[in-house]
Amino acid sequence: METRHIGSLEVSAVGLGCNNFGRRLALDGTRPVVEAALDEGVTLFDTADVYRGDRGWSEELLGAALGRHRDEVVIATKFGMELDEQRRGAAPGYVRSACEASLRRLGTDHIDLYQLHQPDPDVPIAETIGALGELVTAGWVREIGHSNLSADEVDAAAAATEGPRFVCAQDQWSLLDRDIERDGNLSAVRRHGLAVLPYFPLASGLLTGKYTSGEDHDPSWRLVDMPEDRRAERLNDERLATTRQLAAFAADRDRTLLELAVSWLAVQVPVASVIAGATHADQIRANVRAVGWQLTADDLAEIDAITGVGDQPR
């Protein structure tokens, strides 16, 4: 599989999002997913301390499933979202303790990519970056990144940095969720030379094609399993209509909607890896096979017209 870089880290063009570990999958279900990913050449595994509530189960299960393969992969995890009243935010003291806890759960002596999961309005970003820089200097962390920052916050973080710098941004981006292109975030991360890790690349499963295939909705599917208000927002008539148009675009070229969703993100600059979740090995193999469609400029223009986004810089 093609590899790309996040700072000094080399990662596979398709990564594995680990938010299902501990939520839908126990250890006996996590192992075959991780093994399939390793077999397919996936080297980036993205998790967070908040995945599976306050227990950190995703990190624990990922560490256990990787076992002796730990040094063959890049582990990315995140901190900053609320685990409980004491464990939240991005104050320097908490940054260190959160990292220690993640290292313990993952069963490793270093985190390859440590990411601020969301901005903390109560802590100046310079203080958070300083604390993260100390972790890099100590060898606990190799590279640092952020998630869910606004364009202004990305600029402020870059201006505040004196030591180790953020090297990537993890933000929502898919064929159905293109606000990153409209709100200045994409321009900001490009301006500062950051790699991008798009989350929800398959729009919570809508871009897999299963919701528009005509088959009955399985209660275990992610969108079906969401709270009603979130499901109504994510699975509405407009998004379904756009999805059907995108599926037709792909079918006209003897491709699948999944191939379109993954390959479209993979050609965007500066996407480093498309991190999709999975609950079984077949999904891993499908995600890996999906990347590699070399979309033309005409293809991209037609996709922009379908999704209602035009003349976006690439």
Side-chain angles (χ1 to χ4, degrees):
M1 193 193 314
E2 176 192 356
T3 60
R4 302 175 182 185
H5 285 87
I6 301 173
S8 63
L9 307 172
E10 185 174 10
V11 300
S12 52
V14 174
L16 176 61
C18 302
N19 58 326
N20 287 308
F21 299 171
R23 184 169 67 96
R24 294 185 175 181
L25 300 176
L27 184 57
D28 59 350
T30 298
R31 287 192 191 279
V33 170
V34 170
E35 290 168 1
L38 293 169
D39 289 344
E40 293 295 326
V42 172
T43 60
L44 176 62
F45 293 78
D46 180 77
T47 184
D49 59 3
V50 75
Y51 291 167
R52 189 55 177 93
D54 63 354
R55 299 285 297 272
W57 280 2
S58 176
E59 290 180 325
E60 283 190 16
L61 295 180
L62 175 61
L66 283 172
R68 62 184 176 84
H69 297 288
R70 192 283 170 248
D71 291 337
E72 302 169 20
V73 305
V74 170
I75 293 179
T77 193
K78 311 179 218 41
F79 74 95
M81 288 193 174
E82 183 174 334
L83 297 174
D84 54 38
E85 284 294 320
Q86 287 72 44
R87 295 180 297 166
R88 61 180 180 178
Y94 179 64
V95 171
R96 185 179 183 90
S97 65
C99 184
E100 287 181 305
S102 287
L103 288 168
R104 183 172 59 252
R105 287 188 292 264
L106 287 162
T108 185
D109 63 357
H110 71 279
I111 294 166
D112 299 296
L113 176 62
Y114 200 40
Q115 303 159 96
L116 172 63
H117 209 159
Q118 65 182 15
D120 185 339
D122 298 323
V123 179
I125 191 65
E127 294 184 13
T128 302
I129 296 172
L132 289 168
E134 291 177 2
L135 299 180
V136 174
T137 301
W140 291 12
V141 170
R142 294 177 64 192
E143 297 283 10
I144 59 174
H146 56 67
S147 181
N148 298 309
L149 267 62
S150 68
D152 287 345
E153 288 166 339
V154 173
D155 287 337
T161 302
E162 295 181 359
R165 306 178 66 84
F166 286 130
V167 296
C168 78
Q170 187 166 157
D171 293 297
Q172 184 168 334
W173 198 8
S174 76
L175 282 167
L176 296 178
D177 299 287
R178 301 184 59 176
D179 285 350
I180 185 175
E181 299 168 60
R182 301 181 180 97
D183 61 15
N185 276 41
L186 186 58
S187 295
V189 299
R190 285 174 172 163
R191 185 161 57 247
H192 300 295
L194 306 181
V196 173
L197 295 177
Y199 69 77
F200 294 165
L202 303 179
S204 301
L206 190 52
L207 292 171
T208 62
K210 59 191 178 186
Y211 294 95
T212 55
S213 65
E215 63 181 295
D216 291 338
H217 289 179
D218 186 320
S220 69
W221 291 354
R222 182 167 186 169
L223 279 170
V224 177
D225 192 37
M226 280 183 177
E228 186 174 348
D229 58 338
R230 288 188 62 200
R231 183 170 65 251
E233 177 185 345
R234 306 291 296 170
L235 195 61
N236 58 43
D237 290 343
E238 181 179 355
R239 287 168 70 87
L240 284 169
T242 301
T243 300
R244 292 189 181 97
Q245 290 182 66
L246 291 168
F249 172 93
D252 285 345
R253 292 155 178 79
D254 295 320
R255 299 281 189 166
T256 66
L257 180 59
L258 177 66
E259 287 178 290
L260 176 59
V262 176
S263 291
W264 180 83
L265 275 173
V267 302
Q268 304 301 317
V269 179
V271 168
S273 187
V274 181
I275 47 172
T279 55
H280 54 78
D282 286 346
Q283 288 175 314
I284 295 288
R285 290 187 279 268
N287 293 342
V288 170
R289 286 195 302 270
V291 75
W293 179 2
Q294 297 301 311
L295 294 158
T296 67
D298 287 343
D299 289 334
L300 294 171
E302 188 170 343
I303 291 165
D304 284 350
I306 293 170
T307 58
V309 179
D311 300 323
Q312 296 298 326
R314 288 190 171 79

